[in-house]
Amino acid sequence: MEAADVFLPVIAWCRTRQSQDSQAEARRQKRRLKLLAVQRLRLKKLRETWRLREKVYKQSKLRRLCSHDTWMKAITHQFLRDHRRKRPKVWLHPRTSDWWENTAATFTDQEWLQHFRVSRETFSYLCATLNPKLRRQDTNYRLCIPLEKRVALTLYKLAHPCDYRTVADLFAVGVASVCHCVHEFCTVVIEVLKPQLVVTPNKFQLDNIEECFHHTYQIPQCIGVLDSMNITISRPPHLNSEKPDGDSYLAILFQAVVDDKGLFWDLSMSCPTWVNDNSGELLVCEDFSTRMHNVCRTDSSCVVIGDAGYPSKNWLLKPSTNVSWLTAEQELLNTQIIAARSVAHYAFERLKGRWRCLSRRNDCNVEIVKDMVETCCVLHNLCEKNNDMCLPDWIGQEPLQTVDENPQKNSESFDDLLQLIQDSAE
């Protein structure tokens, strides 16, 4: 009984203590849950705050970028507007082309020949032959100059001693366009037509030329006549030599060999040099002498007739200069040589008569001047082969009398010399 009385309070106290501990643990657990909920709520609010701040930052950054992009676009637009090429007030200057389209279209054959120095058939041949090289296409900005007009204005420029502006006003084009058309036409003619029209004769052609000279002038083994002319030019900027005297002028020496029909078959030109009216004849370059030597010594000893002022060459036949000691045979040979040289003289007169640009000072570049001279020679051969007329007023004298299309010598002087030879022989 006493033992039970002792343990019962202890057991009651333990139970009470256990109940208190359980309640305290429940309160602590409740407090921990409450603190955890508060922490979660605080973290949630913090995340929302950072998310809002990040959104605001992105929006402000985007606004700054947009404003910077707009600012850069404005600066770029202003820069381009200030530095762009100013639009011309007149893109294409209005011109009237009545002369070419209306007046030239009504020309008679004689008037056409007078203005362009070639017949209509030769003009059509030039347009058809040079069309692959000179053909141009229209663009979205402007129409190209027609091929016929480009060929016509070039022929007019070569045929008349006028400047580029005169040709530009006639054909209703710009001055720069005239320069370009002339240079392009000359380049294409040299490339396409020169290999066909200005070539060294072959063996059969040389035999025909030799036979013609022998039949007409009694000069055997002659295959051509050598002559030259001076093309006056302006002083190039790179030329350092001074003018030697007051009578000298700057020129390009043009030298050519002519056959029995007055056609050029070899052309040579020198560099610009100071010349005067008393300058002697020169051989333009060593290459020319080599070519003549190769042609004349290919199969037989042929010769080329030249003036007495040329230097002595084994392929060059010149008249005797010591006229006070000439025999009748030498005087006869001199007369024959002079008569044969009239072929080259007349060919050069027809060349200068057709293409008057060769008779005045040329202000173009030296290389362009040479191309223009070669083009004129090619066109001369083309006109001669097509039997285009060469009017007497172009050369200022009546054409030489011809027999079988060859210049004829003065028969009376030859008869007198032949009679003198016969008398001396008796």
Side-chain angles (χ1 to χ4, degrees):
M1 189 65 184
E2 293 179 357
D5 294 337
V6 174
F7 284 103
L8 286 174
V10 174
I11 294 171
W13 180 84
C14 289
R15 289 179 178 178
T16 303
R17 186 69 180 178
Q18 185 177 6
S19 176
Q20 292 176 351
D21 291 341
S22 299
Q23 292 177 358
E25 183 66 23
R27 288 193 300 269
R28 285 194 298 269
Q29 183 68 23
K30 185 177 180 180
R31 195 164 43 246
R32 281 196 299 270
L33 293 176
K34 186 176 180 179
L35 290 176
L36 184 60
V38 171
Q39 289 179 355
R40 287 179 178 177
L41 181 61
R42 186 181 298 174
L43 182 60
K44 182 178 180 181
K45 290 182 178 180
L46 184 62
R47 286 177 180 176
E48 290 178 354
T49 304
W50 277 106
R51 192 178 295 111
L52 182 61
R53 288 182 179 180
E54 185 177 4
K55 183 178 180 180
V56 172
Y57 173 75
K58 288 182 178 181
Q59 290 178 353
S60 62
K61 184 177 180 180
L62 182 61
R63 285 194 298 269
R64 289 196 301 270
L65 290 176
C66 292
S67 61
H68 178 74
D69 184 61
T70 304
W71 181 71
M72 288 301 297
K73 286 182 179 179
I75 292 179
T76 305
H77 178 73
Q78 183 69 25
F79 178 82
L80 295 177
R81 189 180 64 178
D82 294 342
H83 293 79
R84 68 182 178 181
R85 177 179 178 270
K86 295 185 180 300
R87 186 173 182 178
K89 295 181 180 179
V90 179
W91 176 253
L92 182 62
H93 185 72
R95 296 182 176 92
T96 174
S97 57
D98 291 339
W99 187 86
W100 167 249
E101 296 178 357
N102 299 326
T103 306
T106 60
F107 280 165
T108 63
D109 292 342
Q110 189 75 8
E111 291 174 338
W112 182 274
L113 186 67
Q114 187 71 36
H115 282 85
F116 301 107
R117 296 301 197 265
V118 297
S119 62
R120 293 184 185 272
E121 293 75 13
T122 303
F123 181 81
S124 300
Y125 171 80
L126 285 173
C127 294
T129 305
L130 306 180
N131 181 46
K133 295 288 185 178
L134 294 179
R135 180 176 52 201
R136 296 295 179 267
Q137 294 182 352
D138 297 335
T139 64
N140 295 329
Y141 296 99
R142 64 176 65 185
L143 301 178
C144 68
I145 303 176
L147 174 64
E148 292 78 8
K149 180 185 284 191
R150 304 218 309 274
V151 175
L153 68 87
T154 304
L155 294 177
Y156 191 92
K157 176 65 178 72
L158 298 177
H160 300 275
C162 58
D163 54 8
Y164 285 110
R165 184 165 297 278
T166 302
V167 182
D169 294 339
L170 277 178
F171 289 86
V173 295
V175 177
S177 299
V178 175
C179 299
H180 180 73
C181 291
V182 171
H183 302 166
E184 188 179 31
F185 177 85
C186 293
T187 303
V188 175
V189 166
I190 294 173
E191 179 184 353
V192 176
L193 293 180
K194 184 182 177 183
Q196 305 175 15
L197 299 173
V198 183
V199 292
T200 303
N202 54 33
K203 181 63 172 59
F204 177 74
Q205 293 171 339
L206 289 176
D207 292 340
N208 291 337
I209 296 173
E210 180 181 345
E211 181 181 357
C212 182
F213 272 107
H214 184 265
H215 176 265
T216 308
Y217 304 103
Q218 285 75 47
I219 300 179
Q221 299 178 338
C222 176
I223 60 173
V225 183
L226 175 64
D227 206 345
S228 61
M229 63 178 291
N230 294 326
I231 309 296
T232 309
I233 62 172
S234 299
R235 181 167 183 167
H238 58 80
L239 186 65
N240 298 323
S241 61
E242 297 296 333
K243 189 175 182 178
D245 53 64
D247 297 333
S248 299
Y249 56 93
L250 197 62
I252 295 175
L253 178 61
F254 167 58
Q255 193 170 263
V257 180
V258 182
D259 64 5
D260 59 299
K261 297 179 181 179
L263 302 180
F264 300 103
W265 59 266
D266 190 275
L267 309 175
S268 298
M269 276 172 282
S270 68
C271 296
T273 182
W274 295 103
V275 298
N276 53 48
D277 296 335
N278 298 323
S279 300
E281 301 289 349
L282 299 173
L283 294 179
V284 171
C285 57
E286 291 297 330
D287 184 43
F288 173 78
S289 300
T290 304
R291 292 199 306 270
M292 292 299 102
H293 180 79
N294 294 335
V295 172
C296 295
R297 301 294 173 178
T298 302
D299 296 325
S300 59
S301 299
C302 300
V303 294
V304 174
I305 294 177
D307 188 71
Y310 284 108
S312 298
K313 297 290 182 180
N314 54 0
W315 48 266
L316 185 63
L317 179 62
K318 307 187 301 178
S320 301
T321 56
N322 191 2
V323 294
S324 59
W325 297 95
L326 293 182
T327 62
E329 291 83 354
Q330 291 175 333
E331 187 174 354
L332 175 62
L333 179 61
N334 279 5
T335 306
Q336 292 172 335
I337 292 176
I338 293 174
R341 288 191 67 247
S342 65
V343 178
H345 176 74
Y346 187 50
F348 273 80
E349 288 296 327
R350 293 168 70 91
L351 174 69
K352 293 186 291 185
R354 274 197 178 100
W355 314 113
R356 300 297 298 278
C357 66
L358 304 178
S359 301
R360 59 165 292 179
R361 189 183 70 175
N362 201 318
D363 298 331
C364 297
N365 182 273
V366 175
E367 297 302 324
I368 297 176
V369 173
K370 292 182 178 181
D371 290 345
M372 294 174 68
V373 174
E374 289 190 39
T375 302
C376 290
C377 294
V378 174
L379 296 176
H380 166 83
N381 284 6
L382 178 63
C383 293
E384 293 294 321
K385 287 188 175 182
N386 292 344
N387 295 323
D388 289 354
M389 292 179 58
C390 182
L391 302 181
D393 58 343
W394 294 351
I395 58 179
Q397 62 182 6
E398 294 296 330
L400 299 179
Q401 296 180 358
T402 58
V403 175
D404 296 334
E405 299 181 356
N406 292 313
Q408 179 66 26
K409 56 188 176 297
N410 189 344
S411 59
E412 295 181 359
S413 61
F414 275 90
D415 294 340
D416 295 340
L417 289 173
L418 289 174
Q419 184 64 33
L420 180 61
I421 294 174
Q422 293 176 1
D423 295 342
S424 62
E426 293 176 355

